[in-house]
Amino acid sequence: HVRGERHLACWSTGRWNVAGCQLRMGHLARHLMRDFDEVVRTLPVWLEDEGFYILSDMDLERMLAEQLGVRSRRYRVFCTCNPRIVERALEAEPAAGPLLPCNVAVYQGDQGETVVEMTNPVSLMDLADDHPPDVRDAAEEAHKRLSRVLARL
């Protein structure tokens, strides 16, 4: 443990690195022993530092309580995109739209830790049958930027 955080390995461009995150089910993930509210306040600032624009902030805990009357773990999802990267991807392939934007989830883990999971844009590109190289380049750029945000946490 480093500063109370559980560091995991991160698969990036074909090799493991020690960025404090892990690739799981097409997501980049990080488990932190940090206050949930602090992470929710800090994350959008660091996403913006990497050029990402927050399209929406969904409080799933509140929505489930209001709509279904159920109590759930603390859970937020930020829908985000980097306008320059989106422009590059859509210029190369207009049909890339359904693969945009990136979602970033912050939730309370089973052991009280705060978990941050992000869509891995490269994994999404791998789901597409055929796409121009510029779309893959845009996905790799988004992956690098999201990985830097995750490493900062």
Side-chain angles (χ1 to χ4, degrees), residues 80-147:
T80 185
C81 71
N82 181 304
R84 294 204 185 280
I85 294 172
V86 168
E87 178 189 28
R88 284 177 34 209
L90 294 178
E91 187 68 30
E93 177 55 70
L99 302 175
L100 306 170
C102 296
N103 287 314
V104 181
V106 180
Y107 61 91
Q108 188 174 24
D110 293 335
Q111 273 69 51
E113 78 278 22
T114 299
V115 180
V116 179
E117 292 200 46
M118 301 178 175
T119 304
N120 181 343
V122 175
S123 293
L124 288 178
M125 288 299 114
D126 290 343
L127 295 176
D129 291 333
D130 188 27
H131 49 75
D134 289 348
V135 174
R136 176 73 179 203
D137 292 345
E140 288 175 355
E141 177 67 23
H143 177 266
K144 282 192 270 186
R145 289 173 179 270
L146 290 170
S147 293

Short mmCIF file of all heavy atoms in Angstrom, two decimals, residues 80-147:
data_model
loop_
_atom_site.label_atom_id
_atom_site.label_comp_id
_atom_site.label_asym_id
_atom_site.label_seq_id
_atom_site.Cartn_x
_atom_site.Cartn_y
_atom_site.Cartn_z
N THR A 80 -18.36 12.11 -20.02
CA THR A 80 -17.35 13.09 -20.39
C THR A 80 -16.79 12.83 -21.78
O THR A 80 -16.85 11.72 -22.28
CB THR A 80 -16.21 13.09 -19.33
OG1 THR A 80 -15.28 14.12 -19.61
CG2 THR A 80 -15.49 11.75 -19.30
N CYS A 81 -16.28 13.89 -22.39
CA CYS A 81 -15.60 13.72 -23.67
C CYS A 81 -14.56 14.83 -23.82
O CYS A 81 -14.63 15.86 -23.17
CB CYS A 81 -16.58 13.75 -24.84
SG CYS A 81 -17.29 15.36 -25.17
N ASN A 82 -13.60 14.57 -24.67
CA ASN A 82 -12.59 15.56 -25.01
C ASN A 82 -12.96 16.07 -26.40
O ASN A 82 -12.88 15.31 -27.38
CB ASN A 82 -11.20 14.92 -25.00
CG ASN A 82 -10.10 15.89 -25.33
OD1 ASN A 82 -10.14 16.54 -26.37
ND2 ASN A 82 -9.13 15.99 -24.45
N PRO A 83 -13.41 17.34 -26.53
CA PRO A 83 -13.90 17.82 -27.82
C PRO A 83 -12.92 17.67 -28.98
O PRO A 83 -13.33 17.31 -30.09
CB PRO A 83 -14.20 19.30 -27.55
CG PRO A 83 -14.48 19.35 -26.08
CD PRO A 83 -13.56 18.33 -25.48
N ARG A 84 -11.64 17.87 -28.74
CA ARG A 84 -10.66 17.74 -29.83
C ARG A 84 -10.55 16.28 -30.30
O ARG A 84 -10.46 16.01 -31.49
CB ARG A 84 -9.31 18.27 -29.40
CG ARG A 84 -9.31 19.76 -29.15
CD ARG A 84 -7.93 20.36 -29.31
NE ARG A 84 -7.91 21.75 -28.95
CZ ARG A 84 -8.32 22.75 -29.74
NH1 ARG A 84 -8.80 22.47 -30.93
NH2 ARG A 84 -8.27 24.00 -29.34
N ILE A 85 -10.58 15.37 -29.35
CA ILE A 85 -10.51 13.96 -29.71
C ILE A 85 -11.79 13.53 -30.42
O ILE A 85 -11.74 12.79 -31.41
CB ILE A 85 -10.24 13.10 -28.45
CG1 ILE A 85 -8.84 13.43 -27.90
CG2 ILE A 85 -10.37 11.62 -28.76
CD1 ILE A 85 -8.53 12.79 -26.56
N VAL A 86 -12.93 13.99 -29.93
CA VAL A 86 -14.21 13.67 -30.57
C VAL A 86 -14.22 14.19 -32.00
O VAL A 86 -14.64 13.48 -32.93
CB VAL A 86 -15.39 14.25 -29.76
CG1 VAL A 86 -16.68 14.19 -30.56
CG2 VAL A 86 -15.53 13.51 -28.45
N GLU A 87 -13.75 15.41 -32.19
CA GLU A 87 -13.71 15.97 -33.55
C GLU A 87 -12.87 15.11 -34.47
O GLU A 87 -13.29 14.81 -35.59
CB GLU A 87 -13.16 17.40 -33.50
CG GLU A 87 -13.05 18.02 -34.88
CD GLU A 87 -12.30 19.35 -34.88
OE1 GLU A 87 -11.44 19.56 -34.00
OE2 GLU A 87 -12.58 20.14 -35.78
N ARG A 88 -11.69 14.68 -34.01
CA ARG A 88 -10.82 13.83 -34.83
C ARG A 88 -11.52 12.52 -35.19
O ARG A 88 -11.47 12.06 -36.33
CB ARG A 88 -9.51 13.53 -34.09
CG ARG A 88 -8.55 14.68 -34.10
CD ARG A 88 -7.27 14.45 -33.33
NE ARG A 88 -6.77 13.09 -33.33
CZ ARG A 88 -6.05 12.58 -32.32
NH1 ARG A 88 -5.79 13.30 -31.26
NH2 ARG A 88 -5.60 11.37 -32.40
N ALA A 89 -12.15 11.91 -34.20
CA ALA A 89 -12.80 10.61 -34.44
C ALA A 89 -13.97 10.75 -35.42
O ALA A 89 -14.10 9.95 -36.35
CB ALA A 89 -13.29 10.02 -33.11
N LEU A 90 -14.80 11.77 -35.22
CA LEU A 90 -15.97 11.93 -36.09
C LEU A 90 -15.59 12.40 -37.49
O LEU A 90 -16.28 12.07 -38.45
CB LEU A 90 -16.97 12.90 -35.46
CG LEU A 90 -17.63 12.41 -34.17
CD1 LEU A 90 -18.55 13.48 -33.61
CD2 LEU A 90 -18.36 11.10 -34.38
N GLU A 91 -14.51 13.15 -37.60
CA GLU A 91 -14.03 13.56 -38.92
C GLU A 91 -13.58 12.33 -39.71
O GLU A 91 -13.84 12.21 -40.90
CB GLU A 91 -12.88 14.56 -38.77
CG GLU A 91 -12.43 15.18 -40.06
CD GLU A 91 -13.46 16.10 -40.68
OE1 GLU A 91 -14.26 16.72 -39.95
OE2 GLU A 91 -13.48 16.20 -41.92
N ALA A 92 -12.92 11.41 -39.02
CA ALA A 92 -12.43 10.20 -39.68
C ALA A 92 -13.57 9.21 -39.95
O ALA A 92 -13.56 8.52 -40.97
CB ALA A 92 -11.36 9.53 -38.82
N GLU A 93 -14.53 9.15 -39.01
CA GLU A 93 -15.62 8.17 -39.16
C GLU A 93 -16.87 8.68 -38.44
O GLU A 93 -16.98 8.56 -37.22
CB GLU A 93 -15.19 6.83 -38.57
CG GLU A 93 -16.27 5.76 -38.60
CD GLU A 93 -16.83 5.52 -39.99
OE1 GLU A 93 -16.11 4.97 -40.83
OE2 GLU A 93 -18.00 5.89 -40.22
N PRO A 94 -17.81 9.27 -39.20
CA PRO A 94 -19.03 9.78 -38.57
C PRO A 94 -19.80 8.73 -37.76
O PRO A 94 -20.48 9.07 -36.80
CB PRO A 94 -19.86 10.28 -39.75
CG PRO A 94 -18.86 10.57 -40.82
CD PRO A 94 -17.76 9.56 -40.63
N ALA A 95 -19.69 7.47 -38.13
CA ALA A 95 -20.41 6.41 -37.42
C ALA A 95 -19.77 6.06 -36.07
O ALA A 95 -20.27 5.19 -35.36
CB ALA A 95 -20.47 5.16 -38.30
N ALA A 96 -18.69 6.75 -35.70
CA ALA A 96 -18.04 6.48 -34.41
C ALA A 96 -18.84 7.05 -33.24
O ALA A 96 -18.55 6.75 -32.09
CB ALA A 96 -16.62 7.06 -34.40
N GLY A 97 -19.86 7.85 -33.51
CA GLY A 97 -20.65 8.49 -32.46
C GLY A 97 -21.15 7.59 -31.35
O GLY A 97 -21.07 7.96 -30.18
N PRO A 98 -21.69 6.40 -31.66
CA PRO A 98 -22.17 5.54 -30.58
C PRO A 98 -21.07 5.08 -29.60
O PRO A 98 -21.37 4.66 -28.50
CB PRO A 98 -22.75 4.32 -31.31
CG PRO A 98 -23.12 4.84 -32.66
CD PRO A 98 -22.06 5.88 -32.97
N LEU A 99 -19.82 5.19 -30.01
CA LEU A 99 -18.72 4.80 -29.13
C LEU A 99 -18.28 5.96 -28.24
O LEU A 99 -17.37 5.80 -27.43
CB LEU A 99 -17.53 4.30 -29.96
CG LEU A 99 -17.85 3.12 -30.89
CD1 LEU A 99 -16.65 2.79 -31.75
CD2 LEU A 99 -18.30 1.91 -30.09
N LEU A 100 -18.91 7.11 -28.40
CA LEU A 100 -18.58 8.30 -27.63
C LEU A 100 -19.75 8.56 -26.69
O LEU A 100 -20.87 8.21 -26.99
CB LEU A 100 -18.40 9.50 -28.56
CG LEU A 100 -17.39 9.31 -29.70
CD1 LEU A 100 -17.50 10.47 -30.66
CD2 LEU A 100 -15.99 9.16 -29.17
N PRO A 101 -19.60 9.22 -25.62
CA PRO A 101 -18.40 9.69 -24.94
C PRO A 101 -17.87 8.63 -23.98
O PRO A 101 -18.34 7.49 -23.99
CB PRO A 101 -18.91 10.91 -24.17
CG PRO A 101 -20.31 10.54 -23.83
CD PRO A 101 -20.81 9.68 -24.98
N CYS A 102 -16.95 9.02 -23.15
CA CYS A 102 -16.40 8.13 -22.13
C CYS A 102 -17.19 8.31 -20.83
O CYS A 102 -17.54 9.43 -20.46
CB CYS A 102 -14.93 8.45 -21.86
SG CYS A 102 -13.87 8.17 -23.28
N ASN A 103 -17.46 7.22 -20.16
CA ASN A 103 -18.13 7.28 -18.86
C ASN A 103 -17.11 6.99 -17.76
O ASN A 103 -16.27 6.10 -17.91
CB ASN A 103 -19.27 6.27 -18.78
CG ASN A 103 -20.45 6.71 -19.61
OD1 ASN A 103 -20.87 7.85 -19.55
ND2 ASN A 103 -20.99 5.80 -20.40
N VAL A 104 -17.23 7.75 -16.69
CA VAL A 104 -16.36 7.57 -15.53
C VAL A 104 -17.27 7.36 -14.32
O VAL A 104 -18.07 8.23 -13.99
CB VAL A 104 -15.46 8.79 -15.31
CG1 VAL A 104 -14.55 8.58 -14.10
CG2 VAL A 104 -14.64 9.11 -16.55
N ALA A 105 -17.16 6.20 -13.69
CA ALA A 105 -17.97 5.87 -12.53
C ALA A 105 -17.14 6.01 -11.26
O ALA A 105 -15.97 5.64 -11.23
CB ALA A 105 -18.51 4.44 -12.64
N VAL A 106 -17.77 6.55 -10.23
CA VAL A 106 -17.17 6.62 -8.89
C VAL A 106 -18.20 5.99 -7.96
O VAL A 106 -19.35 6.42 -7.92
CB VAL A 106 -16.91 8.08 -8.46
CG1 VAL A 106 -16.28 8.11 -7.07
CG2 VAL A 106 -16.03 8.80 -9.47
N TYR A 107 -17.77 4.95 -7.23
CA TYR A 107 -18.72 4.30 -6.33
C TYR A 107 -18.02 3.78 -5.09
O TYR A 107 -16.80 3.63 -5.05
CB TYR A 107 -19.50 3.19 -7.03
CG TYR A 107 -18.67 2.05 -7.58
CD1 TYR A 107 -18.41 0.92 -6.82
CD2 TYR A 107 -18.18 2.10 -8.89
CE1 TYR A 107 -17.67 -0.13 -7.34
CE2 TYR A 107 -17.45 1.05 -9.42
CZ TYR A 107 -17.20 -0.06 -8.64
OH TYR A 107 -16.47 -1.10 -9.16
N GLN A 108 -18.84 3.52 -4.08
CA GLN A 108 -18.35 2.99 -2.83
C GLN A 108 -18.20 1.48 -2.97
O GLN A 108 -19.16 0.78 -3.30
CB GLN A 108 -19.32 3.33 -1.72
CG GLN A 108 -18.83 3.00 -0.34
CD GLN A 108 -19.80 3.52 0.70
OE1 GLN A 108 -20.99 3.70 0.43
NE2 GLN A 108 -19.30 3.75 1.89
N GLY A 109 -16.97 1.00 -2.76
CA GLY A 109 -16.70 -0.43 -2.87
C GLY A 109 -17.20 -1.21 -1.67
O GLY A 109 -17.65 -0.65 -0.66
N ASP A 110 -17.11 -2.52 -1.76
CA ASP A 110 -17.62 -3.41 -0.72
C ASP A 110 -16.86 -3.30 0.60
O ASP A 110 -17.41 -3.60 1.66
CB ASP A 110 -17.58 -4.87 -1.20
CG ASP A 110 -18.55 -5.12 -2.35
OD1 ASP A 110 -19.55 -4.37 -2.45
OD2 ASP A 110 -18.30 -6.04 -3.14
N GLN A 111 -15.60 -2.88 0.56
CA GLN A 111 -14.80 -2.74 1.77
C GLN A 111 -14.69 -1.27 2.21
O GLN A 111 -13.80 -0.93 2.98
CB GLN A 111 -13.39 -3.31 1.57
CG GLN A 111 -13.27 -4.80 1.85
CD GLN A 111 -13.99 -5.65 0.82
OE1 GLN A 111 -13.80 -5.50 -0.37
NE2 GLN A 111 -14.84 -6.54 1.29
N GLY A 112 -15.58 -0.42 1.69
CA GLY A 112 -15.57 0.98 2.07
C GLY A 112 -14.63 1.85 1.26
O GLY A 112 -14.58 3.06 1.45
N GLU A 113 -13.90 1.25 0.34
CA GLU A 113 -13.01 2.03 -0.52
C GLU A 113 -13.81 2.76 -1.59
O GLU A 113 -14.96 2.45 -1.83
CB GLU A 113 -11.96 1.12 -1.19
CG GLU A 113 -12.43 0.30 -2.37
CD GLU A 113 -13.16 -0.99 -2.02
OE1 GLU A 113 -13.70 -1.13 -0.91
OE2 GLU A 113 -13.21 -1.86 -2.91
N THR A 114 -13.19 3.76 -2.18
CA THR A 114 -13.81 4.46 -3.30
C THR A 114 -13.22 3.88 -4.57
O THR A 114 -12.00 3.83 -4.72
CB THR A 114 -13.54 5.98 -3.22
OG1 THR A 114 -14.13 6.47 -2.00
CG2 THR A 114 -14.15 6.71 -4.40
N VAL A 115 -14.07 3.45 -5.47
CA VAL A 115 -13.63 2.84 -6.73
C VAL A 115 -13.92 3.82 -7.86
O VAL A 115 -14.99 4.41 -7.92
CB VAL A 115 -14.37 1.50 -7.00
CG1 VAL A 115 -13.90 0.87 -8.31
CG2 VAL A 115 -14.19 0.55 -5.82
N VAL A 116 -12.93 3.99 -8.74
CA VAL A 116 -13.10 4.81 -9.93
C VAL A 116 -12.88 3.89 -11.13
O VAL A 116 -11.84 3.24 -11.21
CB VAL A 116 -12.10 5.99 -9.98
CG1 VAL A 116 -12.30 6.82 -11.24
CG2 VAL A 116 -12.23 6.85 -8.73
N GLU A 117 -13.87 3.81 -12.00
CA GLU A 117 -13.75 3.01 -13.22
C GLU A 117 -14.07 3.89 -14.40
O GLU A 117 -15.00 4.70 -14.35
CB GLU A 117 -14.70 1.81 -13.20
CG GLU A 117 -14.32 0.79 -12.16
CD GLU A 117 -14.92 -0.57 -12.43
OE1 GLU A 117 -14.86 -1.03 -13.58
OE2 GLU A 117 -15.45 -1.16 -11.48
N MET A 118 -13.29 3.73 -15.45
CA MET A 118 -13.45 4.52 -16.66
C MET A 118 -13.56 3.61 -17.86
O MET A 118 -12.87 2.60 -17.94
CB MET A 118 -12.24 5.43 -16.87
CG MET A 118 -11.97 6.39 -15.76
SD MET A 118 -10.48 7.35 -16.12
CE MET A 118 -10.50 8.47 -14.74
N THR A 119 -14.39 4.00 -18.79
CA THR A 119 -14.46 3.31 -20.06
C THR A 119 -13.08 3.37 -20.71
O THR A 119 -12.43 4.41 -20.72
CB THR A 119 -15.48 3.99 -20.99
OG1 THR A 119 -16.73 4.05 -20.32
CG2 THR A 119 -15.61 3.26 -22.29
N ASN A 120 -12.64 2.24 -21.26
CA ASN A 120 -11.39 2.22 -22.00
C ASN A 120 -11.72 2.42 -23.49
O ASN A 120 -12.27 1.52 -24.12
CB ASN A 120 -10.66 0.89 -21.79
CG ASN A 120 -9.34 0.84 -22.53
OD1 ASN A 120 -9.08 1.62 -23.43
ND2 ASN A 120 -8.52 -0.11 -22.14
N PRO A 121 -11.42 3.61 -24.04
CA PRO A 121 -11.78 3.88 -25.44
C PRO A 121 -11.18 2.90 -26.43
O PRO A 121 -11.79 2.60 -27.46
CB PRO A 121 -11.25 5.29 -25.68
CG PRO A 121 -11.01 5.87 -24.33
CD PRO A 121 -10.75 4.72 -23.41
N VAL A 122 -10.00 2.38 -26.15
CA VAL A 122 -9.36 1.42 -27.06
C VAL A 122 -10.17 0.12 -27.10
O VAL A 122 -10.38 -0.45 -28.16
CB VAL A 122 -7.90 1.17 -26.67
CG1 VAL A 122 -7.27 0.09 -27.53
CG2 VAL A 122 -7.09 2.47 -26.76
N SER A 123 -10.67 -0.31 -25.95
CA SER A 123 -11.51 -1.52 -25.91
C SER A 123 -12.78 -1.31 -26.72
O SER A 123 -13.25 -2.22 -27.40
CB SER A 123 -11.87 -1.87 -24.47
OG SER A 123 -10.73 -2.27 -23.77
N LEU A 124 -13.36 -0.11 -26.63
CA LEU A 124 -14.55 0.18 -27.43
C LEU A 124 -14.25 0.11 -28.92
O LEU A 124 -15.04 -0.40 -29.69
CB LEU A 124 -15.11 1.56 -27.08
CG LEU A 124 -15.79 1.67 -25.73
CD1 LEU A 124 -16.24 3.11 -25.49
CD2 LEU A 124 -16.98 0.72 -25.64
N MET A 125 -13.10 0.63 -29.32
CA MET A 125 -12.72 0.58 -30.73
C MET A 125 -12.55 -0.87 -31.19
O MET A 125 -12.87 -1.21 -32.32
CB MET A 125 -11.42 1.34 -30.99
CG MET A 125 -11.52 2.82 -30.89
SD MET A 125 -12.66 3.53 -32.08
CE MET A 125 -13.91 4.15 -31.00
N ASP A 126 -12.07 -1.71 -30.29
CA ASP A 126 -11.88 -3.12 -30.64
C ASP A 126 -13.21 -3.82 -30.89
O ASP A 126 -13.26 -4.84 -31.57
CB ASP A 126 -11.11 -3.85 -29.54
CG ASP A 126 -9.65 -3.42 -29.49
OD1 ASP A 126 -9.15 -2.82 -30.47
OD2 ASP A 126 -9.00 -3.66 -28.44
N LEU A 127 -14.30 -3.26 -30.36
CA LEU A 127 -15.63 -3.85 -30.59
C LEU A 127 -16.14 -3.53 -31.99
O LEU A 127 -16.98 -4.25 -32.52
CB LEU A 127 -16.63 -3.32 -29.56
CG LEU A 127 -16.37 -3.71 -28.11
CD1 LEU A 127 -17.39 -3.02 -27.21
CD2 LEU A 127 -16.45 -5.22 -27.94
N ALA A 128 -15.67 -2.42 -32.55
CA ALA A 128 -16.12 -2.02 -33.89
C ALA A 128 -15.47 -2.91 -34.94
O ALA A 128 -14.30 -3.24 -34.84
CB ALA A 128 -15.76 -0.56 -34.13
N ASP A 129 -16.24 -3.26 -35.94
CA ASP A 129 -15.75 -4.15 -36.99
C ASP A 129 -14.63 -3.52 -37.79
O ASP A 129 -13.59 -4.12 -38.03
CB ASP A 129 -16.88 -4.56 -37.94
CG ASP A 129 -17.87 -5.48 -37.26
OD1 ASP A 129 -17.48 -6.18 -36.32
OD2 ASP A 129 -19.04 -5.47 -37.67
N ASP A 130 -14.85 -2.31 -38.25
CA ASP A 130 -13.89 -1.67 -39.13
C ASP A 130 -13.91 -0.18 -38.85
O ASP A 130 -14.97 0.44 -38.77
CB ASP A 130 -14.29 -1.93 -40.59
CG ASP A 130 -13.23 -1.47 -41.55
OD1 ASP A 130 -12.05 -1.44 -41.16
OD2 ASP A 130 -13.59 -1.13 -42.69
N HIS A 131 -12.75 0.38 -38.66
CA HIS A 131 -12.66 1.82 -38.43
C HIS A 131 -11.34 2.32 -38.98
O HIS A 131 -10.34 1.60 -39.01
CB HIS A 131 -12.81 2.16 -36.95
CG HIS A 131 -11.94 1.35 -36.05
ND1 HIS A 131 -10.59 1.55 -35.93
CD2 HIS A 131 -12.23 0.31 -35.24
CE1 HIS A 131 -10.09 0.68 -35.08
NE2 HIS A 131 -11.06 -0.09 -34.66
N PRO A 132 -11.30 3.55 -39.45
CA PRO A 132 -10.07 4.12 -39.98
C PRO A 132 -9.01 4.25 -38.88
O PRO A 132 -9.35 4.38 -37.70
CB PRO A 132 -10.48 5.50 -40.48
CG PRO A 132 -11.97 5.51 -40.52
CD PRO A 132 -12.43 4.46 -39.58
N PRO A 133 -7.75 4.24 -39.26
CA PRO A 133 -6.66 4.39 -38.27
C PRO A 133 -6.79 5.65 -37.43
O PRO A 133 -6.42 5.65 -36.25
CB PRO A 133 -5.40 4.42 -39.12
CG PRO A 133 -5.77 3.75 -40.40
CD PRO A 133 -7.24 4.02 -40.60
N ASP A 134 -7.33 6.72 -37.98
CA ASP A 134 -7.47 7.96 -37.22
C ASP A 134 -8.42 7.79 -36.03
O ASP A 134 -8.25 8.43 -34.99
CB ASP A 134 -7.97 9.10 -38.10
CG ASP A 134 -6.91 9.58 -39.08
OD1 ASP A 134 -5.73 9.19 -38.93
OD2 ASP A 134 -7.27 10.33 -40.01
N VAL A 135 -9.41 6.92 -36.16
CA VAL A 135 -10.32 6.66 -35.05
C VAL A 135 -9.58 5.92 -33.95
O VAL A 135 -9.72 6.24 -32.77
CB VAL A 135 -11.56 5.88 -35.52
CG1 VAL A 135 -12.44 5.48 -34.35
CG2 VAL A 135 -12.36 6.70 -36.52
N ARG A 136 -8.79 4.95 -34.32
CA ARG A 136 -7.98 4.20 -33.33
C ARG A 136 -7.00 5.16 -32.65
O ARG A 136 -6.82 5.10 -31.43
CB ARG A 136 -7.24 3.06 -34.03
CG ARG A 136 -6.29 2.28 -33.17
CD ARG A 136 -7.03 1.39 -32.23
NE ARG A 136 -6.10 0.61 -31.43
CZ ARG A 136 -6.43 -0.51 -30.86
NH1 ARG A 136 -7.62 -1.01 -31.02
NH2 ARG A 136 -5.57 -1.15 -30.12
N ASP A 137 -6.38 6.06 -33.41
CA ASP A 137 -5.45 7.04 -32.83
C ASP A 137 -6.15 7.92 -31.82
O ASP A 137 -5.62 8.23 -30.75
CB ASP A 137 -4.81 7.90 -33.92
CG ASP A 137 -3.88 7.12 -34.83
OD1 ASP A 137 -3.49 5.99 -34.48
OD2 ASP A 137 -3.56 7.65 -35.92
N ALA A 138 -7.37 8.35 -32.14
CA ALA A 138 -8.15 9.18 -31.23
C ALA A 138 -8.47 8.40 -29.95
O ALA A 138 -8.36 8.94 -28.84
CB ALA A 138 -9.43 9.66 -31.90
N ALA A 139 -8.82 7.14 -30.08
CA ALA A 139 -9.12 6.30 -28.92
C ALA A 139 -7.87 6.13 -28.05
O ALA A 139 -7.95 6.18 -26.81
CB ALA A 139 -9.64 4.94 -29.36
N GLU A 140 -6.72 5.94 -28.67
CA GLU A 140 -5.48 5.78 -27.91
C GLU A 140 -5.12 7.07 -27.18
O GLU A 140 -4.64 7.04 -26.05
CB GLU A 140 -4.36 5.31 -28.83
CG GLU A 140 -4.54 3.86 -29.24
CD GLU A 140 -3.51 3.36 -30.25
OE1 GLU A 140 -2.68 4.16 -30.73
OE2 GLU A 140 -3.55 2.16 -30.56
N GLU A 141 -5.36 8.22 -27.81
CA GLU A 141 -5.12 9.50 -27.16
C GLU A 141 -6.04 9.67 -25.95
O GLU A 141 -5.61 10.08 -24.87
CB GLU A 141 -5.33 10.65 -28.14
CG GLU A 141 -5.16 12.03 -27.52
CD GLU A 141 -3.74 12.34 -27.06
OE1 GLU A 141 -2.79 11.73 -27.56
OE2 GLU A 141 -3.61 13.22 -26.20
N ALA A 142 -7.31 9.35 -26.10
CA ALA A 142 -8.25 9.42 -24.98
C ALA A 142 -7.83 8.48 -23.86
O ALA A 142 -7.87 8.83 -22.68
CB ALA A 142 -9.66 9.10 -25.45
N HIS A 143 -7.38 7.27 -24.23
CA HIS A 143 -6.91 6.29 -23.24
C HIS A 143 -5.74 6.85 -22.44
O HIS A 143 -5.71 6.75 -21.21
CB HIS A 143 -6.52 5.00 -23.95
CG HIS A 143 -5.97 3.96 -23.02
ND1 HIS A 143 -4.63 3.83 -22.80
CD2 HIS A 143 -6.58 3.03 -22.26
CE1 HIS A 143 -4.42 2.84 -21.95
NE2 HIS A 143 -5.59 2.35 -21.61
N LYS A 144 -4.78 7.45 -23.13
CA LYS A 144 -3.62 8.03 -22.44
C LYS A 144 -4.05 9.11 -21.45
O LYS A 144 -3.58 9.14 -20.32
CB LYS A 144 -2.62 8.61 -23.44
CG LYS A 144 -1.75 7.59 -24.12
CD LYS A 144 -0.63 8.26 -24.86
CE LYS A 144 -1.08 8.55 -26.27
NZ LYS A 144 -0.04 9.07 -27.14
N ARG A 145 -4.93 9.97 -21.89
CA ARG A 145 -5.38 11.08 -21.04
C ARG A 145 -6.18 10.57 -19.83
O ARG A 145 -5.99 11.03 -18.71
CB ARG A 145 -6.19 12.07 -21.85
CG ARG A 145 -5.33 12.86 -22.83
CD ARG A 145 -6.21 13.74 -23.74
NE ARG A 145 -5.39 14.50 -24.63
CZ ARG A 145 -4.91 15.72 -24.38
NH1 ARG A 145 -5.18 16.30 -23.23
NH2 ARG A 145 -4.18 16.36 -25.26
N LEU A 146 -7.08 9.61 -20.07
CA LEU A 146 -7.85 9.04 -18.96
C LEU A 146 -6.94 8.31 -17.98
O LEU A 146 -7.14 8.37 -16.75
CB LEU A 146 -8.94 8.12 -19.48
CG LEU A 146 -10.10 8.80 -20.20
CD1 LEU A 146 -10.98 7.76 -20.88
CD2 LEU A 146 -10.91 9.65 -19.24
N SER A 147 -5.94 7.61 -18.50
CA SER A 147 -4.99 6.90 -17.63
C SER A 147 -4.23 7.88 -16.75
O SER A 147 -3.96 7.59 -15.56
CB SER A 147 -4.02 6.08 -18.48
OG SER A 147 -4.67 5.03 -19.13
#
